[in-house]
Amino acid sequence: MRKAYTVEPVEEMAMMDAASDRKKPGFRSAEIFREIIRTGSTRRAARELGITQSAVSQYLKLFEEAVGESLFVRDRRGLIPTTRAIEIYNRVDRYVTTLKSIEREISESFRTDLNSLTIAAPHICAFRIVPEIIKVLDNLDPTTEFHFKALRYDQIMQSMMTGEADIGISRLPLDERFFEWQAIAESFSVCVVHPGHPLAQKDIITVDDIASEPLIVLERDYTSNKLGLASYGHREFPLKPKVHSDTIGLDASFVAHGIGVAIDNEFIARQYDMFDLRIIPFQPAAKYQYVVFWRRESGRFSRQSHIVQTIVDVVSRSTERWQNAARTDAR
């Protein structure tokens, strides 16, 4: 049975006095309100939080005063949350969960004895290349604990800047003032189509071929082109989007269901092996340079470090397998 540790009433009341002066629903009162909802009573909430029941009641009073209304109906059955209380709880629960996660990440980031590696990469890389990288790195050092952050390109750079990620997989351009990198793949545009689609029989797909096709595209907020135009080489054409996504690479799942076609690049398309899709060169093609990158002047990584070299080798082998499979399919 969980042992309850009681905070001294004087100390707890002093904290409440400060909160009362601010007249704001601070984190502590919101956390206690959340625990009352979760446990169903002030008594059980006090036991879980390790404070007195009277302190819980006082914090609840402060929270209700800040919100501007009573959040519970009090009857012989105990505290019954109102509809408004449930709405507030859903938001508070998300906030508390996020804050506790941030607190945990901050505390762990300063541990020097933790052998961990956090990799940031596009979501779709979780299907193939990141697991391959982790498998090889784990064989080299089984004591390593791995974390994977599935993010958009802008989020990958941000997570590297803040130190939330140790190493990233992204595409150029990157800001050389803040990052160093090693090239891992040169990639060109491809069109991704369902095998039953008429375009699936073509060797090359052009702009004219897809001019009237419904496209699976990234939301404009997450693309470099905000004008509703796709630009390849020196040619532009208006998009005819069918589905908008906010996640890199997941357009393949929509194409697999026969909803539309997508324009990607070879590096991203290699992650689609689990889908029965045709990946066909697209003309005129745009060129992309994918890299593994790290914060400049990092004491842990360089172009010669074994982690960077391992990632380069894994991607190189993956590229070779994909190209051999593509040649076999073309015969």
Side-chain angles (χ1 to χ4, degrees):
M1 183 175 179
R2 184 174 176 176
K3 184 177 180 180
Y5 295 90
T6 304
V7 176
E8 290 297 325
V10 173
E11 180 182 345
E12 190 70 27
M13 290 304 295
M15 294 167 58
M16 287 187 293
D17 287 342
S20 181
D21 289 340
R22 291 192 298 268
K23 296 296 184 183
K24 294 179 180 179
F27 178 74
R28 183 58 168 167
S29 58
E31 183 183 32
I32 288 174
F33 162 76
R34 170 178 176 262
E35 199 62 39
I36 294 171
I37 294 284
R38 287 159 59 93
T39 60
S41 75
T42 57
R43 178 177 57 80
R44 286 191 289 270
R47 185 170 63 243
E48 288 296 316
L49 294 167
I51 62 177
T52 64
Q53 185 175 355
S54 62
V56 169
S57 298
Q58 288 297 318
Y59 271 116
L60 175 58
K61 181 180 178 182
L62 289 174
F63 192 77
E64 288 181 322
E65 288 175 355
V67 171
E69 62 183 284
S70 296
L71 298 174
F72 295 89
V73 176
R74 295 163 172 81
D75 65 11
R76 58 183 178 80
R77 295 172 295 174
L79 296 179
I80 310 300
T82 64
T83 300
R84 176 66 172 151
I86 298 301
E87 293 175 356
I88 294 174
Y89 166 78
N90 288 332
R91 293 173 61 185
V92 168
D93 186 57
R94 291 197 301 272
Y95 299 154
V96 171
T97 300
T98 300
L99 287 171
K100 287 184 179 296
S101 176
I102 292 172
E103 181 182 31
R104 184 170 57 253
E105 286 191 14
I106 290 174
S107 63
E108 290 182 353
S109 68
F110 294 103
R111 288 181 56 186
T112 58
D113 61 334
L114 184 63
N115 184 18
S116 69
L117 179 69
T118 300
I119 303 172
H123 298 71
I124 196 70
C125 292
F127 286 164
R128 180 172 179 176
I129 199 65
V130 170
E132 289 182 3
I133 290 169
I134 289 177
K135 183 176 181 180
V136 175
L137 289 174
D138 187 54
N139 287 336
L140 294 174
D141 184 359
T143 68
T144 304
E145 178 182 286
F146 297 94
H147 301 263
F148 174 57
K149 288 187 174 294
L151 305 168
R152 300 190 305 269
Y153 293 121
D154 59 325
Q155 294 172 326
I156 294 170
M157 286 187 288
Q158 183 64 29
S159 69
M160 294 291 292
M161 287 289 292
T162 60
E164 296 174 83
D166 300 311
I167 200 160
I169 295 174
S170 187
R171 69 187 191 193
L172 297 181
L174 293 171
D175 195 326
E176 63 182 10
R177 294 174 300 172
F178 306 114
F179 304 116
E180 295 181 275
W181 57 82
Q182 176 68 44
I184 57 175
E186 189 176 82
S187 186
F188 293 89
S189 304
V190 294
C191 194
V192 183
V193 300
H194 189 279
H197 194 284
L199 293 176
Q201 305 308 313
K202 295 180 69 69
D203 295 325
I204 295 175
I205 294 177
T206 67
V207 168
D208 293 331
D209 291 327
I210 65 169
S212 60
E213 294 291 336
L215 300 180
I216 315 300
V217 299
L218 275 174
E219 295 279 5
R220 289 183 186 178
D221 288 347
Y222 309 131
T223 63
S224 58
N225 190 321
K226 313 294 184 185
L227 303 179
L229 298 171
S231 177
Y232 296 94
H234 298 291
R235 183 168 179 184
E236 294 182 340
F237 63 95
L239 295 176
K240 294 185 177 356
K242 174 61 68 173
V243 177
H244 296 265
S245 171
D246 69 349
T247 304
I248 299 165
L250 295 192
D251 45 8
S253 61
F254 297 98
V255 175
H257 283 81
I259 296 174
V261 302
I263 301 170
D264 280 312
N265 65 75
E266 292 171 330
F267 181 81
I268 293 298
R270 289 174 207 157
Q271 318 305 316
Y272 298 162
D273 282 355
M274 71 292 302
F275 296 107
D276 181 20
L277 299 175
R278 285 296 316 280
I279 299 170
I280 303 169
F282 181 79
Q283 294 292 338
K287 180 180 176 181
Y288 304 91
Q289 186 75 51
Y290 279 86
V291 297
V292 53
F293 72 109
W294 56 93
R295 290 188 299 280
R296 181 168 286 281
E297 298 180 356
S298 167
R300 186 176 182 185
F301 304 107
S302 69
R303 289 180 177 84
Q304 289 75 40
S305 66
H306 82 278
I307 290 177
V308 170
Q309 284 303 309
T310 296
I311 293 175
V312 172
D313 292 344
V314 170
V315 175
S316 177
R317 290 195 295 270
S318 175
T319 300
E320 185 176 356
R321 287 197 306 270
W322 189 81
Q323 291 174 339
N324 289 338
R327 284 193 288 267
T328 300
D329 291 342
R331 292 194 185 109

